[in-house]
């Protein structure tokens, strides 16, 4: 396990941005996406990051995390409502 594997996708999105979170998500999905214990970040957790970014005046980062949320959780209607 590498050091960057310890941080959650949600934490990466909050600190390093949606691009870094998407790269980490894709890497982890490729390496362990079929393992029973692996789950992608939830819609609610990413939505919480979006709200924190928006509250901090980081609207561009908020929009990018909203886009990320639609990519990771496309089945969840709230992701599309928040992205809109």
């Amino acid at each position: 396990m590498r050091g960057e594997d310890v941080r959650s996708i949600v934490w990466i999105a909050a600190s390093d941005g949606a691009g870094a979170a998407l790269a980490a998500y894709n890497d982890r999905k490729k390496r362990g996406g079929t393992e029973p214990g692996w789950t992608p970040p939830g819609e609610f957790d990413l939505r919480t990051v979006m709200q924190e970014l928006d509250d901090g005046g980081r609207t561009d980062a908020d929009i990018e995390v909203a886009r990320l949320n639609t990519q990771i959780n496309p089945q969840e209607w709230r992701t599309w409502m928040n992205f809109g």
Side-chain angles (χ1 to χ4, degrees):
M1 183 179 273
R2 301 179 310 229
E4 62 267 14
D5 290 335
V6 177
R7 298 188 313 157
S8 72
I9 302 296
V10 173
W11 183 260
I12 294 169
S15 61
D16 301 342
L22 180 59
Y25 167 76
N26 287 331
D27 178 59
R28 292 176 189 183
K29 184 176 179 183
K30 185 173 95 174
R31 289 188 294 124
T34 58
E35 297 295 322
W38 186 84
T39 57
E43 178 275 332
F44 178 79
D45 295 328
L46 287 169
R47 185 166 24 112
T48 300
V49 170
M50 291 165 44
Q51 186 63 51
E52 290 171 3
L53 292 168
D54 190 51
D55 290 348
R58 297 178 58 199
T59 305
D60 291 344
D62 172 20
I63 293 168
E64 290 306 310
V65 173
R67 177 178 286 124
L68 173 66
N69 208 0
T70 64
Q71 293 170 332
I72 293 176
N73 300 294
Q75 75 289 352
E76 177 59 55
W77 65 269
R78 287 177 192 86
T79 64
W80 299 101
M81 179 184 73
N82 289 314
F83 185 51

